[in-house]
Amino acid sequence: MNAVPRGERDAPEGMAWIPARTFRMGSNDHYPEEAPAHRVAVDGFWIDVAPVTNAGFARFVAATGYVTFAELAPKAEDYPGALPEMLVPASVVFVAPQGRVGLQDHFQWWQFLAGADWRHPQGPGSSIEGKDAHPVVHVAARDVEAYAAWAGKALPTEAEWELAARGGLDDREYAWGDEFAPGGVNLANTWQGEFPWQNSATDGWLGTSPVGAYPPNGYGLVDMIGNVWEWTSTYYVAGRDRFTAAGTGAVTSPDDAHTPHACCAPSAAATRPGFTQAELAARSIAPGETQPRRALKGGSHLCAPEYCLRYRPAARSPQSIDSATTHIGFRCVVR
């Protein structure tokens, strides 16, 4: 569906239309996994204006009786060698250390916490009471796919997500331009202070914020940057394999004019064969791991300039499909 829909009566509730276009995806200026920047053509699609909220996910659970991955005990046969205490319903929770720590060991601030799930985002004793409008978290890949199927939608590809996040602005650092906080005003929920132990919360939020607490981008979408990372349907592969991946958009060419040492690279992605989804899934598995990884987009309230400067449309991060955390959510599309 490439043409602009006839009118507002055609718009699925709570969704915005992203017109078909070719855009420059990725970046050559930050983390290596974002490179090389390349031109991608994407068909028009509808996308949720905001991430799925606790209230929205609760409606899905009430209608279907669905139980999330974090609420189920892992099977020992699926995780050979796992300690018995790890084979319990649990999820990964951010817990700020008491003082300054080195940034090389993320276990200083991430804990695998029994009893943490979407209803109890900080573990037993916590709740989402009063947070209906906050994005749902502690949802694994299978959970968000189940929700999307129930809603008659799908997860966005990485290319669709990035196009939507840019809000019509090409080749800009942020979803709103090139300055992070124009006029000193925060335009996304990110970490303020020294990560991971000192959050000044100058934007008014510790942890997640209600969707729409910050201004929308040029397409009318909120929270595309910061608040929570968002799942995509794209398997996480790096380098030039990334833009041969099926389902990420039709690639016209790598942006060789902006790619270092482009003389040593093919001049067009079309000269390379694509991969099947099964092949991409296999290629996405990290060394020593067993589960495929998907690309996350958008950054979160835990992203800080000294540790995770990924609150940008081009940024991406890998996430195992069998994991959920306190800072990952999602939104859906209709094609």
Side-chain angles (χ1 to χ4, degrees), residues 24-31 34-38 255-260 314:
R24 184 173 180 253
M25 181 178 177
S27 171
N28 298 319
D29 301 325
H30 292 281
Y31 297 104
E34 300 169 23
H38 52 288
D255 194 355
D256 286 337
H258 297 85
T259 304

Side-chain angles (χ1 to χ4, degrees), residues 8-278:
E8 288 300 319
R9 70 181 185 278
D10 298 314
E13 183 179 358
M15 304 190 85
W17 174 251
I18 310 300
R21 67 179 297 176
T22 298
F23 77 106
R24 184 173 180 253
M25 181 178 177
S27 171
N28 298 319
D29 301 325
H30 292 281
Y31 297 104
E33 68 270 12
E34 300 169 23
H38 52 288
R39 306 295 293 178
V40 178
V42 178
D43 288 341
F45 61 97
W46 297 96
I47 189 168
D48 288 339
V49 167
V52 174
T53 62
N54 286 320
F57 199 77
R59 288 192 290 271
F60 158 62
V61 170
T64 63
Y66 186 83
V67 178
T68 63
F69 189 84
E71 296 172 281
L72 299 170
K75 297 178 180 178
E77 57 267 30
D78 293 335
Y79 299 92
L83 297 173
E85 57 266 30
M86 302 291 284
L87 299 176
V88 296
S91 192
V92 179
V93 176
F94 174 82
V95 179
Q98 294 299 304
R100 185 178 288 114
V101 297
L103 299 180
Q104 295 74 34
D105 180 11
H106 63 265
F107 292 108
Q108 296 279 350
W109 55 87
W110 285 115
Q111 295 184 15
F112 186 70
L113 195 58
D117 56 47
W118 73 275
R119 293 186 181 92
H120 310 95
Q122 296 303 126
S126 66
S127 79
I128 55 173
E129 184 177 355
K131 294 186 175 182
D132 281 356
H134 285 237
V136 65
V137 294
H138 293 297
V139 282
R142 74 164 208 175
D143 304 327
V144 301
E145 289 169 341
Y147 175 96
W150 170 77
K153 301 179 180 181
L155 291 184
T157 66
E158 184 178 5
E160 287 172 335
W161 194 101
E162 186 168 329
L163 171 62
R166 291 185 178 277
L169 299 177
D170 274 339
D171 203 20
R172 298 296 182 90
E173 283 286 288
Y174 304 104
W176 49 84
D178 289 324
E179 187 179 355
F180 172 63
V185 177
N186 290 312
L187 297 180
N189 181 1
T190 61
W191 186 278
Q192 295 97 49
E194 185 178 343
F195 185 85
W197 72 287
Q198 200 174 55
N199 190 345
S200 62
T202 55
D203 62 355
W205 302 103
L206 278 173
T208 59
S209 51
V211 300
Y214 296 85
N217 72 2
Y219 288 137
L221 311 177
V222 297
D223 297 300
M224 292 298 287
I225 300 300
N227 211 2
V228 292
W229 284 98
E230 297 185 17
W231 285 102
T232 72
S233 64
T234 300
Y235 287 110
Y236 182 92
V237 291
R240 289 178 177 266
D241 287 348
R242 178 158 73 99
F243 54 73
T244 63
T248 57
V251 177
T252 57
S253 69
D255 194 355
D256 286 337
H258 297 85
T259 304
H261 310 297
C263 63
C264 305
S267 62
T271 65
R272 296 170 58 86
F275 297 111
T276 67
Q277 289 297 299

Side-chain angles (χ1 to χ4, degrees), residues 319-331:
Q319 188 71 19
S320 174
I321 62 171
D322 66 341
S323 59
T325 76
T326 192
H327 72 332
I328 299 175
F330 72 108
R331 75 180 74 209

